[in-house]
Amino acid sequence: DVKVTQSSRYLVKRTGEKVFLECVQDMDHENMFWYRQDPGLGLRLIYFSYDVKMKEKGDIPEGYSVSREKKERFSLILESASTNQTSMYLCASRGGDSPWEQYFGPGTRLTVT
Amino acid sequence: AQSVSQHNHHVILSEAASLELGCNYSYGGTVNLFWYVQYPGQHLQLLLKYFSGDPLVKGIKGFEAEFIKSKFSFNLRKPSVQWSDTAEYFCAVQGGSQGNLIFGKGTKLSVKP
């Protein structure tokens, strides 16, 4: 089974702090994604990556950056957290034998106060 | 641009009632279609998918969906819901060169015992 893990289930940070959200997948997938999930808005794509050191902006990249130094790890960075970034963040990966199927991590609920 | 529309934000049913959740998409090319489910406190997981072939696809836990190309629809159905089906359901479309998923805003299903 594909496993996508995220470093924290719950996180509370203060406005202006730099925040790192980590995601690791164990299936050697090429593609990795970061979404945010908000009530009534569904999932919105923040950034994605097709390969190590590659990154592409999604639909809502403002205020975020990403890093992919190793194939299995994809980090989301909030350079200066703001209250409107309070959300559920979901990581996903895709590739291997099922190139069209996306596997999701459990999510990190981030609260910025 | 691709988009996905889920008609119902919140559906409340009694156990044994039949379920149909609507999903329409806008995209002119070939698409892959998915339904994901998120049970309370759990990660997003794939319920069923359509790539090609028989437009009636069966998924896990007795769910099925029908792809109607002329209507750009991919509605989710279940003949008899259970309390354990209480969850949020997301329709997603995958198309274009990058193959990223576009999600609908989700439908919350509450099943009363």
Side-chain angles (χ1 to χ4, degrees):
Chain A
D1 270 358
V2 175
K3 199 165 182 188
V4 181
T5 57
Q6 296 182 230
S7 50
S8 307
R9 290 301 302 270
Y10 301 94
L11 210 52
V12 180
K13 295 292 182 180
R14 293 188 185 275
T15 302
E17 276 192 84
K18 190 168 185 175
V19 182
F20 293 87
L21 303 183
E22 305 285 340
C23 174
V24 176
Q25 49 94 5
D26 66 357
M27 283 300 291
D28 202 36
H29 283 172
E30 297 79 17
N31 306 292
M32 296 188 75
F33 306 83
W34 275 106
Y35 295 87
R36 63 177 283 176
Q37 181 182 6
D38 299 289
L41 296 178
L43 276 74
R44 293 179 291 168
L45 183 62
I46 304 171
Y47 266 97
F48 59 101
S49 168
Y50 288 137
D51 204 346
V52 176
K53 298 193 186 294
M54 304 288 287
K55 59 185 179 185
E56 297 281 346
K57 291 180 180 179
D59 300 318
I60 52 163
E62 297 77 20
Y64 304 94
S65 62
V66 289
S67 171
R68 194 159 180 209
E69 296 297 317
K70 292 185 178 182
K71 193 173 186 180
E72 68 271 18
R73 188 180 298 269
F74 191 35
S75 303
L76 180 70
I77 304 155
L78 286 66
E79 295 289 343
S80 177
S82 63
T83 54
N84 63 12
Q85 292 178 310
T86 291
S87 186
M88 172 71 88
Y89 290 89
L90 299 179
C91 176
S93 74
R94 189 181 86 208
D97 295 338
S98 300
W100 299 111
E101 190 167 334
Q102 211 153 290
Y103 297 86
F104 285 85
T108 296
R109 186 166 292 284
L110 172 68
T111 302
V112 182
T113 61
Chain B
Q2 297 176 59
S3 67
V4 178
S5 176
Q6 292 184 239
H7 312 305
N8 311 99
H9 297 298
H10 192 186
V11 173
I12 303 172
L13 295 173
S14 297
E15 273 194 317
S18 64
L19 170 73
E20 181 158 3
L21 301 183
C23 173
N24 286 90
Y25 67 92
S26 66
Y27 183 69
T30 302
V31 293
N32 296 326
L33 297 159
F34 303 82
W35 276 97
Y36 279 85
V37 60
Q38 189 174 37
Y39 297 103
Q42 295 189 28
H43 64 274
L44 213 62
Q45 55 187 288
L46 184 66
L47 199 55
L48 49 78
K49 60 184 182 282
Y50 172 79
F51 290 167
S52 63
D54 188 343
L56 186 64
V57 292
K58 295 194 183 299
I60 59 172
K61 304 187 181 187
F63 286 90
E64 63 179 32
E66 185 176 13
F67 170 53
I68 303 179
K69 190 174 181 180
S70 60
K71 294 185 178 181
F72 297 91
S73 71
F74 190 55
N75 292 354
L76 181 71
R77 300 195 292 245
K78 186 171 183 179
S80 175
V81 295
Q82 300 172 315
W83 176 79
S84 58
D85 294 324
T86 294
E88 191 159 16
Y89 294 81
F90 294 92
C91 181
V93 170
Q94 185 180 55
S97 58
Q98 293 178 330
N100 290 339
L101 288 176
I102 306 295
F103 284 87
K105 293 183 178 181
T107 297
K108 228 172 232 177
L109 172 65
S110 300
V111 180
K112 297 187 289 186

